[in-house]
Each structure stands twice: as structure tokens, then as C-alpha cells.
Amino acid sequence: MNDTSGPGSPARTPLVLGLLGCSAVFASAFCFYFSTVVIRWSRDVVAIDSAYFAFFRFLLGFVVVCILMALNRQGPSPKRYHLLIGRTVGNCVAVYCFYQAVRYTSVAEANILNMTYPIFVAMLSWIVLRHQRDPVAVAMVAAAMAGVWLILQPGRIGMGISSLWGLGSGISAAFAILYLNLSRQHHDTNTVLFYMFGLGSVLMFAFFHRRFFWPNAAEWYYLTLCGGAGIAGQFLITIGFRYVTAVEGGVISSTRILLAALLGPWLAADPALGPAGWVGALLIFGANVVLAVRKGR
């Protein structure tokens, strides 16, 4: 009888694939974070509007998807246009608000508030699917909202417009995720990405074309670095979710909250989070983990 328990044997294959999936999802979280760091770096060197960064990300993604579809000799197969459009609009608003938050607040605050989208997904799901309400989820949403308040206005009353950009990115991302879940029931991944990147480029150009220009060498560098990091994150998370469960992927994706809090002072020259900010970040992270685990069950 052959021994199949040794290294590299078929018995270890699921473990290797699981580690690959976890690594890919974690790498995607870092890529999404790094794309915002690039925007912060560019602020002292070039004058590029947030809308231009978002447009370039969509345009670059569209080119990559078209190349992949051409190599695979596979075209888009749209079936429910309203779902594809809803996904695109939600994602466009989320990315623009996200980049605006990076520009006017801190990289850490923008990323942490953007990662509130699982909480808003839960809240929106309750409106549509009332049977999914449960006391634990309600408590997690309350905890996350307390975390948001601690990050935005610790010790103060009221909220500035700059902080609303980050919160708006989380809310609009929640709508985008709901449309993505519905759209994936009828479309393959490439079709969803084709319309999201392609139509997203058109929408961003239609609304913000006056802010666009032909970039010089330095501007090309920052646009490509930011857009490339965002696209790499998109493909890494797509690959990673093939080998991990939804719970594992959701929890690992939420580590972007901790990455932003830890690396902000080092990579983006952000002010370090104070005690209240750390409590808020951990409340949001913990609520995301609990909601992901309950969803998996």
C-alpha cells in the first residue's frame, strides 16, 4: 500500500490550495490599501483629481479584462442589464468617494470607513429580507456604528464633510455588493467585470472629463501605480475566493482595517490612531468577523 501522507502528496493538496487562497485574499487587501497610499504620495508631487484616479483604474481594468477575454476567446454574455448597471453605478460611487476620502482625510480613516460596507450590507439585507434579522446581527451593527463614531469624532459632536466621503464609500459599496450578489446569479465573472470596468470608464468620463488631461511622466507613474494596485487586488481576491470559504475570505479581507491602522504612520505619514481610534477600528473589525461567521453558518 502506498503512503499518501508525505509532503506534496494528494492528501496535502487541499491544505496547499487553502494557504494559496488565504495568501491571495490577504495580498488583495494590501493591494487595495496600497492603491490609496499611492494617492497620498502623489499629493505632494502632482495635481491629479480623485476622479482621474478612479477613471484610470476602470480604464486599465477594462483593457486587462478585454485582453483576458480575447485570449480565452470568450465574449461577454449579458442577461440582466439592470443588475450590471446597478453594480457599475454603485462601484463607481464607492471608488470615487473612497479616493476623495483618502484625499481629504487620512489613508487609515478612509480604508477603515470603506470597510464598513459589510455592516451596511447587513442593514440593507434586513430591509429587503426581513427574515434574516437576528439579535446578534443587530448588536454587531450597533457595535460597528459605535466604532465609526469613535473614528470620526472622538470627543466631539457633529461630523465634517471630509469624513462623510469615507462613510459614503462604505454605504455605496454595500449597494454595489448587493447588486454583485444578484448579478452573479445570472452572469460569469468576466461579464460582470467587463461591464463594471467598461461602463464605469464611460460614466466617470461623462461626469468628470473636464478634470482629465494628458499626463506627463510623473503623472503616468502615479496613475499606473494606483490603477495597477487596484486591478491586482481585484484579480487576487477573485483567485483567492476560489480556494477559501466566504467566511475565511470575509475575515481576511477585513484585515485591511488593521493594515490601515498599523501601516498608516509608516507608509502614508498618517497620524497614529489614538486609543479611541483603535477601539473604533477593532469594533468594526470584530463586527465584520462575527457577521461573516454567522453568514457562513
Side-chain angles (χ1 to χ4, degrees), residues 81-92 175-176 179-180 199:
Y81 283 100
H82 65 287
L83 297 179
L84 294 170
I85 293 172
R87 163 64 175 167
T88 299
V89 173
N91 192 257
C92 281
F175 280 99
Y179 271 105
L180 174 61
L199 185 56

Side-chain angles (χ1 to χ4, degrees), residues 38-39 41-48 52-53 56 213-226:
V38 173
I39 295 177
W41 287 349
S42 72
R43 200 169 62 176
D44 299 328
V45 181
V46 294
I48 302 176
Y52 202 178
F53 275 114
F56 197 86
F213 51 87
W214 188 257
N216 59 31
E219 292 157 348
W220 270 114
Y221 171 77
Y222 287 107
L223 286 169
T224 304
L225 192 59
C226 175

Side-chain angles (χ1 to χ4, degrees), residues 15 18 22-23 32 51 85 90 96 100 105 115 136 164 203 223 228 243 265 285:
L15 176 60
C22 291
S23 300
F32 288 134
I85 293 172
Y96 177 68
Q100 283 285 86
T105 61
M115 284 304 300
V136 175
L164 289 178
L203 289 176
L223 286 169
Y243 306 113
F285 175 74

Side-chain angles (χ1 to χ4, degrees), residues 15 42 44 67 70 95-97 105 136 139 142 160 190 195 198 201 208 219 241 249 283 286 288:
L15 176 60
S42 72
D44 299 328
I67 292 174
V95 172
Y96 177 68
C97 289
T105 61
V136 175
N190 283 338
Y195 279 91
S201 301
F208 300 105
E219 292 157 348
F241 267 80
L283 280 173
N288 284 353

Side-chain angles (χ1 to χ4, degrees), residues 13-79:
T13 301
L15 176 60
V16 173
L17 292 178
L19 290 174
L20 173 64
C22 291
S23 300
V25 175
F26 181 77
S28 74
F30 179 80
C31 285
F32 288 134
Y33 169 70
F34 183 72
S35 69
T36 61
V37 172
V38 173
I39 295 177
R40 178 50 55 89
W41 287 349
S42 72
R43 200 169 62 176
D44 299 328
V45 181
V46 294
I48 302 176
D49 193 85
S50 302
Y52 202 178
F53 275 114
F55 168 76
F56 197 86
R57 173 173 169 173
F58 285 116
L59 183 61
L60 183 61
F62 181 68
V63 171
V64 172
V65 170
C66 286
I67 292 174
L68 292 176
M69 296 182 80
L71 292 175
N72 294 327
R73 297 183 179 180
Q74 174 192 6
S77 302
K79 296 185 176 102

Side-chain angles (χ1 to χ4, degrees), residues 110-121:
N111 277 274
I112 292 170
L113 292 180
N114 177 256
M115 284 304 300
T116 59
Y117 74 82
I119 311 302
F120 292 110
V121 167

Side-chain angles (χ1 to χ4, degrees), residues 6 38 92 124 141 161 170 173 188 204 210 214 239 245 247 253 282:
V38 173
C92 281
L124 293 172
V141 170
I161 186 65
D188 60 87
M204 294 302 297
R210 293 183 179 179
W214 188 257
I239 294 170
T245 65
V247 173
S253 295
L282 293 175

